[in-house]
Structure formats: structure tokens, C-alpha cells
Amino acid sequence: MTEPLTQSIQDYLKHIYELTERSQPASTTDLAARLNVAPASVTGMLQKLAAAKPPLVIYKKHQGVTLTKAGLRAALEVIRHHRLLETYLVNALGYTWDEVHEEACRLEHVISEEFEARIATALGHPNRDPHGELIPSADLTMPADQSTPLSSLRPGQSATILRVDAQDPNLLRHLDDLGLTPGIEIEVSAYSEFDHNLTVRVRRKSHVLGLNTTTKIFVEVDK
Amino acid sequence: MTEPLTQSIQDYLKHIYELTERSQPASTTDLAARLNVAPASVTGMLQKLAAAKPPLVIYKKHQGVTLTKAGLRAALEVIRHHRLLETYLVNALGYTWDEVHEEACRLEHVISEEFEARIATALGHPNRDPHGELIPSADLTMPADQSTPLSSLRPGQSATILRVDAQDPNLLRHLDDLGLTPGIEIEVSAYSEFDHNLTVRVRRKSHVLGLNTTTKIFVEVDK
DNA sequence: TCTATTATTTAGTCTAACCTAAATTATTGT
DNA sequence: ACAATAATTTAGGTTAGACTAAATAATAGA
């Protein structure tokens, strides 16, 4: 009998998943920063998660942490909740994409599987949330991500925005104002080698975007 | 700056409200039973609530507990969340009335005022939940309850069901099967003085109901 | 009125999850 | 290769909210 995961544990797993997506183990400090918690607290929790009845993480002192099978499943469950909720808040309740993150962060830990299933059905089983992030399927597999960062495009290339990897409401509102949202066609018209700015044409207007922005927008390049 | 109320405190306040609705102070033991907590734990919490910066309850040793203005507001806020959520789950997500209680109990503590406002709007600002319970208004006043218990009716009287005061899923399913739901017209055709059974005609069929049931159904008597 | 029973409170523990300060291990630049 | 710096862990402490066992107060029956 495997006891239920606390809200706090679910948060740790979710963030470990996100930090290890590109296959690097997650560091104590990075986790601490994400969770708004002291590094020492993270160490303590990681030891606990590694010692759990079915271990949830693999953790060796000073070597970072990765998820086990069990930890991965739990993480994907939370992420599925989060992203379905964000989608529901936008599509069914009229939230804007910059308003949903906090709400989903609180709701993700308390909804039942019943609730999850009902909103998934109501939404038509979407596989992306309002930011374009992939939603793990009901059987907890994460679809492969085919996107490339906008920052890697060069003049002459055009592409379709797939997702925007940001939660900051101000940034999200700004991008929405510019029309930089999932599904939109864009074209790169200039690149500045020194500051890495890209000039991007969208909705018949051009905008100069810095690295801070272009690394958060992920696209599918047109062939 | 009044710090936010924990989930646990919200639960205490909600149950104190319900126990004191008929103006008796709530006892430690009754609260403990409702909260599934040891009586000693209740004593501890009540002392804390009474000592809070704006006191949330009035509590004197061995004399039970009642809510202060501040405690009442907090309780009504939680109850409004709960009942709006139950209504939303049924009306918007297709839950049945026996499935909503648990879900609402978890969600009621985490939704934002934004969320509350949006579902209230989506529902057309209802003032009763699926069980017929009154929903506190947005400004946190509880509408007056005009209902009388079915148990007080006698043969010849007819009435409309206003609310059903129960959470037990089995009972709720049973009542639904019989057609005993809010809005329905019923007529009392017999009364047994000894076991207090009532024979009630609903949907052209008669059913004999015991006290356990008739004290949980509240009606408006036809004149 | 007094005792037996029941209700309530006190006292002392426990656990989860956080914290700070101090100690230790890794890493990096020279 | 080694000191300086950065990252991490250990040690010890705090808080919220629960628990059990023991003590006390209230109530009810004879």
C-alpha cells in the first residue's frame, strides 16, 4: 500500500521532471530556486524521496537527482492535471493565458481522476495547453516534442509557433499583444550577430526580439 | 495584515457554522466527530482560533464555541465556494448529486475569487446548490431559510421539496431513485404515530419513509 | 447530594516540511 | 596542484496540526 503523495512532494517531482527533460540530472540549487525553498530543504526532501517505499528519485550526494519510473509517472500525472486545467480555464471559463498558471498550480494537487477525465472529455482530449505545452496522455506518456527554439532560426526562415515556455504574466501579455501565440506563422527577416536579436515578421509587422524572448518561443520550421 | 487561513482552519469554521446554525454553541465532541479528529485536537484548535489576531471564534472552556463576525465571514466564504462548486460540477461537468461532495471539499480551499466569480457567472448566480442548500451571496450573506422538515408534515398536506440535507452517496442515490429531489411536489398520505414513518406520494407512487429520511428532507408546505 | 458516567482539557509526543548556521565537498582559475 | 569560491550537506531548531494518556469538570441517576 503506497501512501498518497503530499502536495509538496508532487511539486518536487514536477520540477525535477522539468529540469531533467533535457536529460541532465537536476541540481539541488536549481530545484531550490524553482521551489522557492532553501537548498538545505531540498537536500532533505531528496533524501526522503530516494528512500521512499518505491523510490521516486535516484539521488547520490553531490550528483543531482533524476526520476525513477514511479517518480516519472507521478510527475506526469501532476503535469497532466496542470495543463488540462490551464486549458479548461481558458477554453471553458474565459481566462486569458497569462492568468491560468497560479490557479492551475493550486488545483492540480486536489482534483480527482474523475475530474481530470471529465474536463479532458469536455475539451475533446487536447494534447496541447494554451501555451502550446504538450499534455501527457491519460496513460501518462509524454508526446515527443518536435519543436526548435526560435532563437535558432536565421533570416529567410519561416515557421509556425508551437509553444511558449513562460509563465510570467507580463511577458505573456506582451507576447499576446504582438501576436506571438501558438499556431501563428512567423518569418525571420534579420539577425544581429552580437546581441543575438532576431527581427521577426508576424501579422504584417516586424518586431525585434532578444534572446530572452526567442529562447522561450518554440516553433516548427517550414520546409 | 491578517494572514491567510489554513485549509484546516477553514474546515473548522465551516463545521462550526453548520453546527451553530440553529443557534446552539457547538460542542468539542460534535466538532471532533464531524472533522474526524480527536476531541483533544479540537480543544487545541479552538484555543488558537479564539486567540487569533482578529478572533475567529468565541470560546470559553466547557461552554462550546460560536463564530465571531470575522469567523462567520470566513465560514460563509468557504461554504459559498463549496456550494458553487457542487453546482458547477453537476451543471457544467455532468456529475450526479451524490458524487460532488468530496470533490467540492477539496476544491473549496484552493479556488481563487476569480474562479469563484467565473463559475458563479457561468451558472447565472444560482442561490441553491444541487441539494437545494442555499448559497451565500457574493457579499457573504446567507439567505433566510424558509423550509420545514418533511418529518413535521401530516397526512393531507402537500409540499414542494426545497432541499435535502445529506452527503451520503448511497442515501442520495436512493432518494434520486425515488424522485425525492428539490423542486418536486409531494403529498403525505399517512403517518404512523409509533415509528414516525410517513407515507409520501411522489411521481404517482407511494413510499414509506422513516425519520432518518424525513428529517433530512426540507420542504415548503403548499397552502 | 453524591457517585458514576461522560465531556472536555492538559500535558507530552509525533511528523511533515520548512528554516539558519556551520561543515564539507566540488570546481575553477592561476 | 592548490587556494578561493561555489555548491551541497549536516546539524539543530521551528511551526502547524494531529495523537494518546491522564487529569479535571460537568451532568445525570439514585
Side-chain angles (χ1 to χ4, degrees):
Chain A
M1 169 110 212
T2 167
E3 50 186 70
L5 304 177
T6 66
Q7 191 156 315
S8 177
I9 290 178
Q10 290 179 15
D11 276 333
Y12 274 86
L13 296 175
K14 179 175 73 166
H15 283 106
I16 293 169
Y17 176 85
E18 286 167 4
L19 286 171
T20 55
E21 248 180 320
R22 308 247 166 61
S23 71
Q24 316 304 328
S27 74
T28 303
T29 341
D30 288 357
L31 262 175
R34 283 209 174 220
L35 292 160
N36 276 304
V37 140
S41 307
V42 173
T43 300
M45 181 60 101
L46 294 183
Q47 290 168 342
K48 178 177 161 180
L49 295 180
K53 300 194 218 171
L56 296 165
V57 303
I58 294 160
Y59 169 68
K60 294 253 175 63
K61 279 187 190 186
H62 298 278
Q63 300 188 185
V65 66
T66 53
L67 295 172
T68 61
K69 281 269 159 56
L72 177 62
R73 279 187 67 83
L76 289 175
E77 178 72 41
V78 182
I79 291 169
R80 176 169 163 83
H81 284 185
H82 184 97
R83 296 184 182 172
L84 277 175
L85 281 163
E86 287 198 345
T87 311
Y88 191 81
L89 293 173
V90 168
N91 292 11
L93 287 175
Y95 279 71
T96 54
W97 77 338
D98 57 291
E99 295 173 326
V100 293
H101 184 72
E102 300 280 297
E103 194 87 51
C105 275
R106 280 176 282 109
L107 289 166
E108 66 189 8
H109 306 293
V110 303
I111 66 173
S112 64
E113 293 307 284
E114 180 70 26
F115 189 98
E116 174 196 311
R118 283 184 190 265
I119 64 175
T121 302
L123 294 166
H125 301 285
N127 69 327
R128 287 185 185 269
D129 74 12
H131 308 99
E133 303 283 358
L134 290 161
I135 301 175
S137 60
D139 64 355
L140 300 183
T141 52
M142 181 65 95
D145 175 22
Q146 310 289 5
S147 64
T148 43
L150 173 54
S151 57
S152 71
L153 298 215
R154 289 299 171 266
Q157 290 189 289
S158 56
T160 307
I161 298 181
L162 284 181
R163 64 188 171 93
V164 173
D165 195 353
Q167 299 97 247
D168 173 35
N170 291 317
L171 174 56
L172 288 170
R173 272 194 293 276
H174 176 61
L175 294 178
D176 195 51
D177 289 345
L178 301 184
L180 293 166
T181 55
I184 295 301
E185 265 295 308
I186 61 172
E187 193 189 330
V188 175
S189 61
Y191 169 65
S192 144
E193 193 177 344
F194 306 106
D195 49 17
H196 305 285
N197 283 346
L198 284 180
T199 306
V200 170
R201 195 156 184 82
V202 57
R203 273 203 209 140
R204 345 194 111 245
K205 284 197 177 175
S206 285
H207 304 284
V208 180
L209 306 176
L211 251 195
N212 227 336
T213 307
T214 56
T215 54
K216 287 178 179 141
I217 296 173
F218 291 79
V219 303
E220 179 178 35
V221 182
D222 297 347
K223 326 173 274 248
Chain B
M1 170 106 213
T2 170
E3 49 185 70
L5 304 178
T6 67
Q7 191 156 313
S8 178
I9 289 177
Q10 290 180 15
D11 276 333
Y12 274 86
L13 295 175
K14 178 175 73 166
H15 284 106
I16 293 170
Y17 176 85
E18 286 166 5
L19 286 171
T20 55
E21 247 181 322
R22 307 241 169 63
S23 71
Q24 314 306 327
S27 76
T28 304
T29 340
D30 288 358
L31 262 174
R34 283 209 172 220
L35 291 160
N36 276 305
V37 139
S41 308
V42 173
T43 301
M45 181 59 101
L46 294 183
Q47 289 168 342
K48 177 177 162 182
L49 295 179
K53 301 194 217 171
L56 296 166
V57 303
I58 294 160
Y59 168 68
K60 292 254 175 60
K61 280 189 192 184
H62 298 278
Q63 300 188 184
V65 66
T66 54
L67 294 172
T68 61
K69 280 269 160 54
L72 177 63
R73 279 187 68 82
L76 289 175
E77 177 72 42
V78 181
I79 291 169
R80 176 170 163 83
H81 284 185
H82 185 96
R83 296 185 181 172
L84 277 175
L85 281 163
E86 288 197 346
T87 311
Y88 191 81
L89 292 173
V90 169
N91 293 10
L93 288 174
Y95 279 71
T96 54
W97 76 340
D98 56 291
E99 296 173 325
V100 294
H101 184 73
E102 300 280 297
E103 193 86 53
C105 276
R106 281 176 282 109
L107 290 165
E108 66 190 8
H109 307 292
V110 304
I111 66 173
S112 63
E113 293 307 284
E114 180 70 26
F115 189 98
E116 173 195 312
R118 284 185 190 264
I119 64 175
T121 302
L123 294 166
H125 302 283
N127 68 327
R128 288 187 184 268
D129 73 13
H131 307 99
E133 302 284 358
L134 290 161
I135 301 175
S137 60
D139 64 356
L140 301 183
T141 53
M142 180 67 95
D145 175 22
Q146 310 289 4
S147 64
T148 44
L150 173 54
S151 56
S152 71
L153 298 216
R154 288 299 171 264
Q157 290 190 288
S158 56
T160 306
I161 298 181
L162 283 182
R163 63 187 171 93
V164 174
D165 195 352
Q167 300 97 246
D168 174 35
N170 291 316
L171 174 56
L172 288 170
R173 271 193 295 275
H174 176 62
L175 294 178
D176 195 52
D177 288 345
L178 301 184
L180 293 167
T181 54
I184 295 301
E185 266 294 309
I186 61 173
E187 192 188 331
V188 176
S189 60
Y191 168 65
S192 144
E193 194 177 341
F194 306 106
D195 49 17
H196 305 286
N197 283 346
L198 284 178
T199 305
V200 170
R201 197 159 180 80
V202 59
R203 272 203 210 139
R204 342 193 115 245
K205 285 197 174 174
S206 286
H207 305 283
V208 180
L209 306 175
L211 251 196
N212 228 337
T213 306
T214 54
T215 53
K216 286 178 181 143
I217 296 174
F218 292 79
V219 303
E220 179 178 33
V221 183
D222 298 347
K223 325 173 275 247

